């Protein structure tokens, strides 16, 4: 505000000196400075600029000095008040034109009321009044029209730059989801070089150039070329480096034609992983738009690299949890299975042999199919191996009923999603019942989705515990199996495909799995089986 007051106060003073002497007064366009200040900066700025220009006019003397100085101050103040209550910024030029014309008309009236002798003032007003009203009004209107046009061009340029950045981002982000490496950096740099209009584009990691396209590619060589001084500085400080001279870039090659660069760090969790570099050659230098483009792209890239890191971390965690689930299941199951087989070796050797084959198939599936997609038939075979061993162990206390539609057998499903649920039904639903019970497995296709239902008539789950069973490590011992399957389904297909569990104490438990077929996770509807 202080700068605006000083600037437009000076413009008002210049308007006075640029005027024409007429009968001991000055025909001028001093009002332009005061009123533009008010229309742009508000009452304080308008009054301040008007006071400076008005005080200067008063000190010049003359029989109209006081009314002219006062009028300038009041015009600046009035313009500021109009700006304060206007809905638009800057004030529309049409409103400014009308307000300035009225202000200059009141300026003439104030001179007639305060300046003496009246006859001399009247003669002066007749001469200078019309041209001052016209010139000052037109000058203020033109000034504001120029400001508005400049702002609109700036907005258009910013919009085009944002559109360019989004186009680049939309095409590069899929590659950066793979992390920062030579392949992803090359694809991203190619797109930036094609769309950004820079003379050269480069991306580095923390030690080496990953890719350099455009001018200087003959000596800025990926992998083997040393990093420039500006790049090293960006990596060390984690701050943007702008070089508008060849020496500031710090390239050691004597024939390098690159004369300006902006080097922006690429970060993940505040750790600098590499840099994005945009280069210019010649005398144009790095413009403000170039800098903003580089900053915007670097922010987008850094966010994408962080997402890539989190996705990798999630994949590793999911794999570790699945391995932990298998490790938890296998020792207990293996111990019980071997005890059962041992008890049958002498009395029923053929059954023992069949169970050993089932046990072998069960563990082979665990080892080979983790984190893969398999057909439902393969997954059912895995469950069948498990149930065959458990039926040999529990005898008539465990009954199994299956109802599998033929069309479902070759549908793809994530591996290891049925056995944990069937095991929970046997271990936590039926085993606590003295008389045992029944497990039912159904599979059908409904509305483009594979629907698998695992139902038992066991002891059920109390209502207050039904949500807790989806928490890994839940105290009943079933949490890791249910939570792992539930989280894998949600991660693969979306939250609408989470497990559906219904249970009633003493009335058994039903768990429903929904897997989208070719239609994916679109048009999700709840299914009742």
């Amino acid at each position: 505000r202080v700068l605006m007051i000083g600037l437009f106060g000076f413009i008002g003073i210049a308007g006075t000196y640029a005027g024409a002497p007429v009968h001991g007064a000055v025909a001028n366009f001093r009002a332009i400075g005061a009123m533009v200040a008010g229309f742009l900066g508000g009452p304080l700025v308008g009054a301040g600029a008007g006071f400076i220009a008005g005080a200067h006019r008063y000190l010049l003397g003359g029989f109209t000095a006081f009314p002219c100085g006062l009028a300038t101050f009041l015009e600046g103040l009035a313009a500021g008040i109009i700006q304060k209550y206007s809905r638009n910024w800057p004030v529309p030029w049409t409103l400014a034109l009308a307000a300035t014309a009225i202000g200059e008309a009141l300026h003439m009236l104030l001179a007639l009321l305060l300046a003496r002798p009246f006859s001399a003032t009247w003669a002066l007003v007749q001469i200078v009044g019309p041209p001052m009203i016209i010139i000052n009004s037109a000058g203020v209107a033109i000034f504001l029209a120029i400001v508005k046009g400049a702002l609109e061009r700036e907005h258009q340029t910013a919009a085009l730059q944002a559109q360019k950045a989004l186009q680049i981002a939309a095409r590069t982000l899929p590659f950066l989801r793979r992390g920062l490496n030579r392949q992803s950096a090359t694809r991203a740099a190619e797109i930036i070089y094609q769309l950004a209009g820079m003379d050269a584009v480069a991306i580095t990691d923390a030690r080496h150039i990953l890719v350099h396209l455009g001018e200087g590619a003959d000596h800025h060589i990926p992998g083997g070329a040393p990093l420039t001084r500006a790049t090293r500085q960006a990596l060390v400080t984690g701050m943007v480096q702008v070089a508008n001279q060849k020496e500031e870039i710090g390239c050691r090659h004597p024939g390098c034609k690159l004369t300006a660069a902006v080097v922006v760090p690429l970060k993940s969790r505040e750790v600098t992983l590499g840099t994005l570099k945009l280069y210019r050659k010649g005398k144009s230098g790095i413009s403000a738009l170039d800098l903003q483009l580089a900053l915007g792209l670097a922010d987008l890239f850094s966010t994408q690299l962080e997402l890539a890191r989190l996705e990798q971390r999630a994949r590793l965690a999911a794999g570790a949890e699945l391995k932990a689930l298998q490790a938890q299941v296998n020792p207990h199951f293996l111990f019980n299975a071997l005890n059962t087989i041992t008890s049958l070796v002498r009395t029923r050797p053929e059954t023992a042999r069949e169970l050993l084959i089932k046990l072998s198939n069960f563990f082979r599936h665990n080892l080979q199919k983790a984190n893969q997609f398999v057909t439902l038939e393969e997954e059912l075979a895995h469950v069948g191996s498990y149930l065959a061993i458990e039926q040999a162990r529990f005898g008539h206390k465990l009954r199994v009923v299956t109802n599998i539609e033929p069309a479902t057998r070759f549908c793809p499903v994530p591996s290891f999603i049925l056995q944990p649920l069937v095991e929970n039904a046997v271990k936590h639903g039926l085993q606590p019942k003295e008389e045992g019970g029944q497990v039912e497995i159904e599979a059908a296709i409904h509305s483009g989705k594979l629907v698998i239902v695992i139902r038992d008539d066991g002891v059920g789950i109390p209502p207050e515990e039904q949500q807790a069973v989806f928490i890994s490590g839940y105290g009943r011992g079933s949490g890791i199996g249910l939570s792992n399957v539930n989280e894998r389904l949600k991660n693969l297909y979306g939250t609408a495909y989470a497990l559906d569990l219904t249970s009633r104490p003493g009335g058994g438990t039903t768990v429903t799995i929904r897997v989208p077929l070719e239609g994916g996770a679109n048009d999700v509807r709840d299914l009742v089986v």
Side-chain angles (χ1 to χ4, degrees):
R1 287 178 177 174
V2 170
L3 290 174
M4 289 183 69
I5 288 171
L7 172 64
F8 288 104
F10 174 78
I11 291 175
I13 293 173
T16 299
Y17 281 117
V22 179
H23 297 310
V26 179
N28 61 83
F29 46 89
R30 179 175 55 251
I32 292 177
M35 297 203 74
V36 168
F39 286 137
L40 293 180
L44 179 62
V45 175
F51 177 80
I52 292 174
H56 171 264
R57 171 65 187 91
Y58 175 76
L59 293 175
L60 291 179
F63 70 100
T64 60
F66 178 70
C68 287
L70 178 61
T72 303
F73 169 76
L74 294 176
E75 285 176 315
L77 178 62
I81 294 173
I82 293 172
Q83 186 272 340
K84 181 178 180 180
Y85 293 101
S86 174
R87 295 182 179 180
N88 301 305
W89 191 94
V91 173
W93 69 267
T94 51
L95 176 58
L97 178 72
T100 306
I102 294 172
E104 281 297 278
L106 293 176
H107 176 186
M108 299 301 137
L109 180 60
L110 193 63
L112 290 172
L113 292 174
L114 298 179
R116 293 294 180 271
F118 179 81
S119 57
T121 306
W122 174 246
L124 177 66
V125 167
Q126 287 180 302
I127 297 172
V128 304
M132 283 184 61
I133 292 173
I134 294 171
I135 294 299
N136 280 283
S137 301
V140 170
I142 291 171
F143 201 113
L144 290 178
I146 292 172
V147 170
K148 183 174 178 60
L151 290 173
E152 288 178 348
R153 285 193 298 274
E154 182 178 344
H155 291 158
Q156 290 172 356
T157 303
L160 290 174
Q161 198 75 346
Q163 183 181 18
K164 182 189 297 184
L166 290 174
Q167 287 177 342
I168 293 172
R171 294 178 58 182
T172 57
L173 294 188
F175 302 112
L176 293 173
R177 291 290 288 269
R178 306 168 188 170
L180 187 62
N181 53 55
R182 184 168 296 184
Q183 183 180 12
S184 63
T186 299
R187 298 301 298 272
E190 288 172 348
I191 294 167
I192 298 172
Y193 184 64
Q194 177 186 355
L195 296 180
M198 304 300 295
D199 294 311
V201 175
I203 298 177
T204 77
D205 60 16
R207 288 185 169 185
H208 307 100
I209 299 173
L210 295 176
V211 59
H212 184 107
L213 300 177
E215 183 67 43
D218 58 330
H219 58 276
H220 291 271
I221 301 171
L227 298 176
T228 62
R229 184 170 63 250
T231 305
R232 293 196 301 271
Q233 191 71 12
L235 290 169
V236 171
T237 64
M239 299 177 64
V240 179
Q241 303 294 314
V242 179
N244 279 311
Q245 295 182 11
K246 182 177 179 179
E247 293 75 17
E248 294 175 353
I249 297 176
C251 178
R252 300 177 184 177
H253 194 277
C256 186
K257 296 181 181 179
L258 298 173
T259 56
V262 53
V263 184
V264 189
L266 301 177
K267 298 183 178 183
S268 175
R269 297 186 68 183
E270 299 304 317
V271 176
T272 302
L273 304 178
T275 63
L276 168 65
K277 305 192 287 185
L278 305 182
Y279 288 100
R280 292 285 189 192
K281 65 179 181 179
K283 299 181 179 180
S284 58
I286 294 297
S287 67
L289 292 177
D290 294 337
L291 177 59
Q292 290 304 315
L293 176 63
L295 291 173
L297 289 177
D299 283 343
L300 288 169
F301 290 0
S302 295
T303 301
Q304 200 64 18
L305 292 173
E306 175 65 10
L307 290 175
R309 186 190 68 83
L310 292 175
E311 286 183 0
Q312 176 65 12
R313 181 177 172 184
R315 285 193 295 269
L316 292 174
E321 189 171 1
L322 182 57
K323 291 294 185 183
L325 173 61
Q326 293 171 316
Q328 179 199 49
V329 171
N330 294 347
H332 296 288
F333 176 69
L334 177 62
F335 176 79
N336 293 326
L338 290 177
N339 278 343
T340 300
I341 295 170
T342 300
S343 68
L344 296 173
V345 166
R346 289 183 178 275
T347 59
R348 297 163 59 189
E350 189 62 29
T351 302
R353 177 180 176 276
E354 291 176 1
L355 290 179
L356 281 173
I357 293 173
K358 296 287 187 183
L359 183 63
S360 173
N361 291 336
F362 178 83
F363 280 103
R364 183 180 297 111
H365 182 94
N366 279 10
L367 293 173
Q368 295 179 354
K369 299 297 184 181
N371 281 335
Q372 296 180 10
F373 281 83
V374 297
T375 63
L376 178 61
E377 187 168 33
E378 292 178 274
E379 192 69 5
L380 288 171
H382 182 232
V383 171
S385 298
Y386 166 79
L387 287 173
I389 296 168
E390 292 292 66
Q391 282 181 305
R393 179 183 168 201
F394 292 109
H396 68 278
K397 288 187 177 182
L398 175 59
R399 300 179 300 279
V400 179
V401 176
T402 60
N403 182 14
I404 310 299
E405 289 186 0
T408 65
R409 290 188 174 274
F410 297 100
C411 294
V413 296
S415 67
F416 210 66
I417 62 169
L418 295 187
Q419 191 274 335
L421 306 183
V422 173
E423 182 183 3
N424 282 333
V426 173
K427 184 176 180 181
H428 301 289
L430 304 182
Q431 191 172 338
K433 290 179 63 175
E434 184 177 351
E435 69 276 18
Q438 178 173 287
V439 174
E440 299 177 33
I441 304 174
E442 300 175 358
I445 295 176
H446 293 273
S447 303
K449 302 173 184 67
L450 171 63
V451 181
I452 307 169
V453 178
I454 300 170
R455 184 183 296 111
D456 68 72
D457 58 359
V459 297
I461 304 172
E464 65 275 10
E465 297 184 20
Q466 290 183 17
Q467 289 303 314
V469 298
F470 291 111
I471 301 173
S472 181
Y474 171 62
R476 285 168 52 94
S478 62
I480 188 171
L482 282 169
S483 67
N484 182 278
V485 173
N486 190 50
E487 290 303 315
R488 290 172 65 204
L489 289 171
K490 290 195 295 183
N491 288 335
L492 285 169
Y493 307 118
T495 56
Y497 288 86
L499 288 177
D500 183 6
L501 182 146
T502 58
S503 186
R504 182 168 54 88
T509 301
T510 300
V511 179
T512 303
I513 299 172
R514 298 177 180 85
V515 175
L517 299 179
E518 293 183 1
N522 298 322
D523 190 25
V524 177
R525 291 184 290 271
D526 289 334
L527 302 173
V528 179
V529 179

